[in-house]
Structures are given as structure tokens and as C-alpha cells.
């Protein structure tokens, strides 16, 4: 029972990493931009957040640092993709390759550094309820932040005028342009906000999830987050659900090992990646379903007057 | 302000100049980086661009590192030209290496040199199998090939880990995660005694010729490229997009697998967890910098090989982390894509003038005002 409560808590923790990144990518894709650079952004933000935390000792500053690094990286991506009309896939890939190298390069001095004592989080009274307390109410504040962000994003996309404009740009940038909306500027803002959220996710990994810095520690979570937006058919609530589902799959390996299941560890480590493939296969099988839900201009450049 | 203006047609000159320009910008950024790290930039650049060319031995090492990059990038060029986004060549490389190792370990002391052929073929088949999974899932279930091929990289690395920590671990290897050292008879023949360079270099050069013919002198190659450039036109002409998908992924998977086999049965001589060295990802950059053209890829693979060797030298001589290679590689692709904009657009200086809409709006305002008064 106790180990199950811990599994639930770990699932929430691990799902939060994916939720922030996938919600950021959701904003991008709703504006018609696919950012394959998520993995690289998260790595650079992870070291930026970690370094900030080492020097300031503040989690808040770490998240601000990570978000700033993420927005900066995404800004470079946006500059090329939106203003220079480069191919989104190739540019995102370049950002990922750069991020892997750059984070390892600047992080070399931080592999020995340790963060100060990590605080414990307890929500008064609620954390003391048996089972439910340890499972849900002893988390880092950002875990609840991800849930709040999902609600805010859902409201923004479906209930606000600005959200409507963002979605219209994702569906048909030509029409939005004809209506007088500054398509490229709005896309740029969307890309940078998405990058900042990926950055928060990266900082969460290195400061909260596994509080240390190791080269390549994001380990494909950026790519899984990209798959999550498809899995969620571009809806915030489903993104959050999917993030917890994948968080659960990631954590299941440790749970199974703890329960003494005799499977080579490599096959357990494989599970989140295999799960991503399986989920992609299941969700993409229905071509019309995907086409109806996908923002229509996704991946296509928009250049007014061409 | 600066404004982009679409060119009436693509600039051929710029498509050749763009990689040079991108390299120049990367070097400038590199110089600044060296200075910021307090290292002599001239020495830094010397290590990256002159040292790897200084001796015959250095040149053979350069060619040997360029070989896997060249092989993988050729396959990827076909993929990218047919608009198939295989970014999991690293995984196909690893599985190719594992398959090759499986055959190499079957050899005993009486096995003839023919086993090398079997080793390489196993590598090709292994890579094709891994690429084939991507093609199958895309073809049958419409699953995005970018994400599937990339996820399979992580899976391949775990398979490798399982093999070297588990069933294939060398019983006499002091519990290190590695296989036995393969028998001499399975090693890819070296070209000259005293150098590590092997016949892989020749295979790669032959592959350049083969891919040039495939792309520019065969109907199949033409069909692939039309499918990439104009899917609607290809459909109208009756070219099968499914065939293009399978061809591209099996070809690129096979090439990556071959590179893996050459690496495992060549310089490595055994399986270790360190088989994946990022060649599969670097080859993406090689393919782009080489303009997705087999001949161009020869030059870009040599350039990228210099980055690899330069990174290792910078580590031993300047005490800089090896990951500097990755920084330069990423920067090069990033600046290249930016420079490629000049192929399709030219930059024009446009003086910012007052908005032309300002005046008519004022007129409308006054006219309504007057009509309002008149009414």
C-alpha cells in the first residue's frame, strides 16, 4: 500500500516534467509551429536552472533561469523558422543537436557541484491523511503549478479572444493575415512562450526531479513530450493526462524492480520509449481523426506576400 | 530596415556559397568562444583545421572517421530528398553493429576471410530491419517517422546494453560490459600496414558513385525526388509514395547498418556500450552541409570528421571538453539553414517610410465629418 502511494507520488513528479514541456509544445503547435528542438532546449535549460540554483540557492530563481534560457533558445529557432522561412523540422533538429553539445560543454564544471539540502514539501493537514497524503500532498509546488497551467491554458485557448486568434493562426495563417493579425509576431510570441515552458520543464528535471547535473540527462523526454501533443490531439487536459500516463510508465520500472520482478533492467528502461511508439501507432491509425484535430497549418511556413 | 524579397528563381550560386558562409560564421563564433574561455583562438582553430591534415597518419585517421559519416549521410540524403524524416540513423547504426558482432562471434580459428562479407551483410540487414520497423509503422499505421525513428535509437541503445551486460558479456573480461575481442579473421581488411584505415573507405567511395547514379541517372531515383519536391505531382504521375517511403528507409537503414558493421568489425573489434558515438546524428548535418548531393557529402563528411578529431585534440591539448565538437556541429547546421534563406530570397534595404495608409484614412475621416455636417 505504501509503495503504491509512493508510485503515485513519483508518477505525479515525473508527469510534471512532461506536462510543462508538452503544454509548451502545444502552444507552439496550436500556432502552427513544430519545434523538434525541445530536447535541446530542455537540456540547456536544465543546466541553466541547475547553475542558477547552485549559485542562488533558490528554486524560484532556477525556474526563472531555465525559462529564460528556454525562451532564448526558442527565440533563435523562431527567428529562423518564422522570419527566415527555414524548414521547421531541420531547424528544430539543429537546435536539438546544438543543445546536446552546448549543455554538455557549459555543464562540465557542474557535474561535481551539489545542490544545498532539498526542502520537503508538506501541505498542512492534507499531507497527513493516510495514503492520500503521501501520494498527492507532499509534492513540489510546481506539480500543482502544472495542473493550474493546464486549466489556464484550456481557458485561454477556448474561452479567450487571444486564444481564438492563436488557434486561427494555426488553422489558416493566410486568413488571420487577411484579417489584419500580425501572424509572424504572434507566432514568435507563441514559440518563445513554448520555449520558456520547455525551459521550466528542463529546470524541473535538474533541480527537483533528479537534483543533479548529468550530461544528456533529459534522456528523450523532449521527444516524448512532442509525441504527447499528438497523443492528446492538441488538447490541454489530455496533454496533462498523457503526461501522467507516461510518468507512470517511467516510474513503473523502479516499482517493478522494487517488487523484485526478474526482468533485465535494460528492458525496463526501454518501456517509456516503446510505450511512446505504441501510443503513436494507436492514435495515428485513424488518419481522418488526426487530420480533423491537427492544426491545419502545422509545419508549413507562412510568408506574407509570397 | 532589411527586408527579404523572394527571388524569381533559386540562386544556384548561393546554394554553393551558403555552406562556405555558414562555416565562416561558425568559425567566427568559435573564435569568440575560444577567447571567452581564455584560450588562444589561433591555436584553437589550428587544432581543428590544420592538425588533422598535418601528417599521413592524421589524414588516414581523418578518412577513417569520415567513412561512417559518409555512408550514413548518403542514405539520409535519399531520405531527405524524398521527404522522409529518418532521424534515427544512430539506432540503425547500433543494430547494424550488434548484428555484425553476432556473426563475427560465430567465427572460430578455422574460419576463412569470407566471414568479413557475412559480417558486413549482417550489419546491412540489421540496419534495414531497424529502418524497416519505422517504414512499417508509418505505412501501416501512419505513425510519425520522426518520433518513431528517434524512439528506436533509445531502444537500440538498451538492446546493446542488454547484450554486453548480459548474454554476450566476455566471460574472461573481468566483468566489464563488453564482448570478446573478435578473431583476426573477422576484422575488416586494412588498406596499409601500420594505419587503422580499412577498406571501408573504398566501400564508401564506391557508394558515392552508386548513390549518384541512383539519384540522377535512374527512373527510381527520379520518382523518389519528385515525391519529395511535389507530392501532388508524384501522385498524379502515379508514383507510389509507399514505395518511396520503404525505399528511403530501407536504404538509409542499410547504409547506417553497414557503417555500424564497419565500425564494430574495424577499429573497435568488439562490442562495448560505447558503440554509439553520435555518427547517426552528425550524419544529418553532413547530409545537409553536403547539399544532399553524394559528391558534396564527401567534402562535408571530411569537414565533420575534422570537427570530431579537433574536439579530441582540443581535449588533450587545450583541456577543453570534447563536447565542443557537438557545439560546433549544431552551430554549423543552424547557421547553414539561416544562410540557405539566401537561396530563395535576397536581402533588400528598405527605408522605413511613413505608413501609406495614414493619409487616406485621414481623408475618410474628414469626408465623413463633412457629410455628417451636411446631413
Amino acid at each position: 500500500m505504501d509503495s503504491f502511494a509512493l508510485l503515485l507520488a513519483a508518477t505525479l513528479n515525473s508527469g510534471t516534467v512532461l506536462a510543462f514541456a508538452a503544454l509548451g509544445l502545444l502552444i507552439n503547435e496550436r500556432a502552427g509551429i513544430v519545434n523538434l528542438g525541445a530536447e535541446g532546449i530542455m537540456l540547456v535549460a536544465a543546466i541553466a536552472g541547475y547553475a542558477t540554483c547552485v549559485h542562488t540557492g533558490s528554486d524560484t530563481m532556477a525556474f526563472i533561469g531555465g525559462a529564460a534560457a528556454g525562451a532564448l533558445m526558442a527565440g533563435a529557432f523562431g527567428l529562423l523558422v518564422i522570419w527566415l522561412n527555414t524548414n521547421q523540422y531541420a531547424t528544430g533538429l539543429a537546435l536539438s543537436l546544438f543543445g546536446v553539445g552546448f549543455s554538455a560543454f557549459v555543464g562540465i564544471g557542474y557535474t561535481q557541484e551539489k545542490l544545498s539540502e532539498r526542502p520537503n514539501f508538506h501541505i498542512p493537514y492534507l499531507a497527513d491523511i493516510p495514503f492520500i497524503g503521501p501520494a498527492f500532498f507532499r509534492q513540489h509546488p510546481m506539480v500543482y503549478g502544472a495542473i493550474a497551467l493546464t486549466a489556464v491554458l484550456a481557458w485561454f485557448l477556448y474561452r479567450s479572444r487571444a486564444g481564438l486568434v492563436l488557434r486561427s493562426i494555426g488553422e489558416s495563417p493566410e486568413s488571420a493575415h487577411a484579417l489584419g493579425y500580425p501572424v509572424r509576431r504572434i507566432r514568435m510570441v507563441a514559440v518563445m512562450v513554448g520555449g520558456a515552458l520547455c525551459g521550466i520543464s528542463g529546470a524541473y528535471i535538474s533541480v527537483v526531479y533528479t537534483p543533479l547535473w548529468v550530461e544528456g540527462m533529459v534522456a528523450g523526454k523532449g521527444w516524448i513530450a512532442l509525441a504527447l501533443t499528438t497523443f492528446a490531439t492538441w488538447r490541454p487536459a489530455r496533454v496533462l493526462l498523457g503526461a501522467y500516463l507516461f510518468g507512470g510508465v517511467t516510474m513503473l520500472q523502479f516499482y517493478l524492480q522494487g517488487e523484485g520482478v526478474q526482468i533485465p533492467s535494460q528492458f525496463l528502461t526501454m518501456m517509456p520509449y516503446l510505450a511512446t511508439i505504441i501510443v503513436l501507432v494507436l492514435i495515428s491509425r485513424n488518419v481522418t481523426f488526426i487530420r480533423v484535430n491537427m492544426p491545419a497549418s502545422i509545419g508549413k511556413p507562412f510568408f506574407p506576400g509570397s | 530596415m532589411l527586408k527579404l524579397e523572394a527571388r524569381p528563381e533559386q540562386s544556384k550560386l548561393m546554394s554553393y556559397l551558403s555552406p562556405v558562409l555558414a562555416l565562416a560564421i561558425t568559425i567566427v563564433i568559435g573564435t569568440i568562444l575560444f577567447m571567452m574561455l581564455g584560450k588562444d583562438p589561433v591555436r584553437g582553430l589550428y587544432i581543428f583545421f590544420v592538425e588533422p591534415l598535418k601528417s599521413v597518419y592524421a589524414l588516414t585517421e581523418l578518412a577513417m572517421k569520415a567513412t561512417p559519416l559518409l555512408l550514413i549521410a548518403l542514405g539520409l540524403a535519399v531520405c531527405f530528398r524524398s521527404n522522409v524524416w529518418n532521424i534515427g540513423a544512430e539506432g540503425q547504426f547500433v543494430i547494424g553493429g550488434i548484428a555484425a558482432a553476432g556473426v563475427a562471434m560465430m567465427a572460430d580459428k578455422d574460419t576463412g576471410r569470407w566471414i568479413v562479407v557475412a559480417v558486413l551483410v549482417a550489419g546491412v540487414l540489421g540496419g534495414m530491419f531497424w529502418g524497416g520497423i519505422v517504414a512499417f509503422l508509418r505505412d501501416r499505421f501512419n505513425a510519425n517517422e520522426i518520433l518513431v525513428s528517434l524512439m528506436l535509437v533509445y531502444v537500440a541503445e538498451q538492446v546493446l546494453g542488454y547484450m554486453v551486460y548480459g548474454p554476450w558479456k566476455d566471460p574472461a573480461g573481468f566483468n566489464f560490459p563488453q564482448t570478446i575481442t573478435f578473431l583476426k579473421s573477422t576484422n575488416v581488411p586494412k588498406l596499409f600496414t601500420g594505419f587503422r584505415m580499412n577498406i571501408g573507405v573504398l566501400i564508401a567511395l564506391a557508394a558515392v558513385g552508386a548513390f549518384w547514379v541512383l539519384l540522377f541517372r535512374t527512373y527510381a531515383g527520379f520518382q523518389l525526388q519528385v515525391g519529395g519536391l511535389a507530392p501532388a505531382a508524384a501522385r498524379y504521375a502515379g508514383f507510389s509514395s509507399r514505395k518511396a517511403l520503404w525505399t528511403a528507409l530501407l536504404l538509409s537503414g542499410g547504409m547506417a547498418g553497414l557503417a555500424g558493421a564497419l565500425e564494430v568489425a574495424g577499429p573497435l573489434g568488439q562490442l562495448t556500450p560505447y558503440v554509439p558515438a553520435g555518427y547517426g546524428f552528425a550524419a544529418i548535418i553532413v547530409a545537409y552541409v553536403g547539399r544532399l548531393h553524394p559528391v558534396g557529402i564527401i567534402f562535408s563528411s571530411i569537414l565533420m570528421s575534422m570537427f570530431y578529431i579537433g574536439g579530441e585534440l582540443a581535449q588533450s591539448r587545450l583541456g577543453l571538453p570534447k563536447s565542443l565538437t557537438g557545439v560546433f556541429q549544431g552551430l554549423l547546421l543552424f547557421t547553414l539553414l539561416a544562410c540557405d534563406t539566401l537561396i530563395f530570397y535576397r536581402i533588400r534595404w528598405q527605408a522605413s517610410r511613413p505608413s501609406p495608409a495614414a493619409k487616406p484614412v485621414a481623408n475618410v475621416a474628414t469626408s465623413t465629418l463633412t457629410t455628417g455636417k451636411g446631413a
Side-chain angles (χ1 to χ4, degrees), chain A residues 100-277:
Chain A
V100 171
F102 187 71
S103 60
F105 181 72
V106 295
I108 202 101
Y110 288 93
T111 43
Q112 308 297 332
E113 294 273 356
K114 284 206 174 60
L115 292 182
S116 49
E117 185 77 20
R118 303 302 304 154
N120 278 318
F121 296 97
H122 279 258
I123 295 181
Y125 307 116
L126 291 175
D128 300 326
I129 304 173
F131 188 73
I132 297 174
F136 300 113
F137 296 113
R138 293 182 187 175
Q139 304 278 0
H140 190 274
M142 285 310 256
V143 170
Y144 313 110
I147 299 169
L149 177 68
T150 310
V152 169
L153 193 59
W155 173 84
F156 170 78
L157 283 175
Y158 298 106
R159 290 281 179 276
S160 79
R161 187 162 187 88
L164 183 69
V165 172
L166 185 80
R167 283 190 292 140
S168 76
I169 285 173
E171 294 298 336
S172 169
E174 292 80 11
S175 317
H177 177 67
L179 285 171
Y181 291 113
V183 171
R184 293 196 287 178
R185 251 179 262 169
I186 294 174
R187 278 190 161 178
M188 190 70 187
V189 172
V191 162
M192 289 187 70
V193 170
L197 288 177
C198 286
I200 288 177
S201 165
Y204 189 88
I205 293 178
S206 62
V207 174
V208 181
Y209 183 61
T210 40
L212 48 88
W213 165 252
V214 186
E215 230 181 277
M217 70 184 300
V218 173
K221 292 190 183 68
W223 298 102
I224 295 179
L226 273 162
L228 265 178
T229 61
T230 310
F231 169 72
T233 55
W234 295 273
R235 277 156 221 262
R238 288 187 202 170
V239 164
L240 188 69
L241 211 68
Y244 291 145
L245 188 73
F246 273 85
V249 173
T250 312
M251 282 304 143
L252 204 59
Q253 50 173 307
F254 301 111
Y255 182 72
L256 289 178
Q257 268 170 342
E259 298 287 298
V261 177
Q262 291 299 321
I263 307 173
S265 67
Q266 289 86 2
F267 291 103
L268 293 171
T269 314
M270 244 182 240
M271 283 197 321
Y273 309 113
L274 286 176
T276 307
I277 296 176

Side-chain angles (χ1 to χ4, degrees), chain A residues 36 39 76-77 80 83-87 89-91 93-95 97-98 101-102 104-105 108 219-220 223-224 226-227 230 264-267 269-270 272-274 276-277 280-281 284-285 287 290 303 306, chain B residues 3-6 33 37 80 85 87 137 140-144 146-148 150-152 154-155 158-159 161-162 165 281-282 284-285 288 320-321 323-324 326-327 329-331 333-335 337-338 341 345:
Chain A
L36 294 189
E39 180 83 7
F77 168 80
L80 258 68
W83 303 93
L84 296 181
N85 245 5
T86 60
N87 181 304
Y89 299 140
T91 313
L93 220 50
L95 198 69
L97 293 172
F98 172 77
F102 187 71
F105 181 72
I108 202 101
W223 298 102
I224 295 179
L226 273 162
T230 310
S265 67
Q266 289 86 2
F267 291 103
T269 314
M270 244 182 240
Y273 309 113
L274 286 176
T276 307
I277 296 176
L280 271 175
V281 162
S284 316
R285 220 169 19 154
V287 180
I290 285 292
F303 199 69
S306 66
Chain B
K3 236 184 133 57
L4 286 183
E5 187 182 86
L33 199 62
L37 294 164
F80 298 155
W85 291 85
I87 57 171
L137 296 180
R140 183 77 180 69
F141 300 107
N142 187 39
N144 181 304
I146 302 177
L147 294 171
V148 172
L150 198 102
M151 287 296 129
L152 284 175
Y154 293 102
V155 176
Q158 294 306 320
V159 172
Y162 170 68
Y165 280 97
F281 294 116
I284 298 170
I285 306 171
Y288 269 103
L320 289 172
S323 42
L324 195 58
V327 177
Q329 286 176 345
L331 267 179
L333 181 56
F334 209 70
T335 49
L337 291 164
T341 305
Y345 301 94

Side-chain angles (χ1 to χ4, degrees), chain B residues 47-48 51-52 58 61-63 65 304-314 325:
Chain B
I47 279 177
F48 269 85
E51 203 89 352
E61 287 291 301
L62 188 69
K65 270 241 172 350
M304 205 60 62
S305 169
M306 283 164 99
F307 280 15
Y308 265 107
I309 294 177
E312 282 164 16
L313 289 173
T325 305

Side-chain angles (χ1 to χ4, degrees), chain B residues 81 83 223-237 239:
Chain B
R81 273 180 185 262
N83 209 14
Q223 286 180 327
L224 280 172
Q225 298 186 57
V226 173
L229 284 170
R235 241 191 335 272
Y236 185 67
F239 300 166

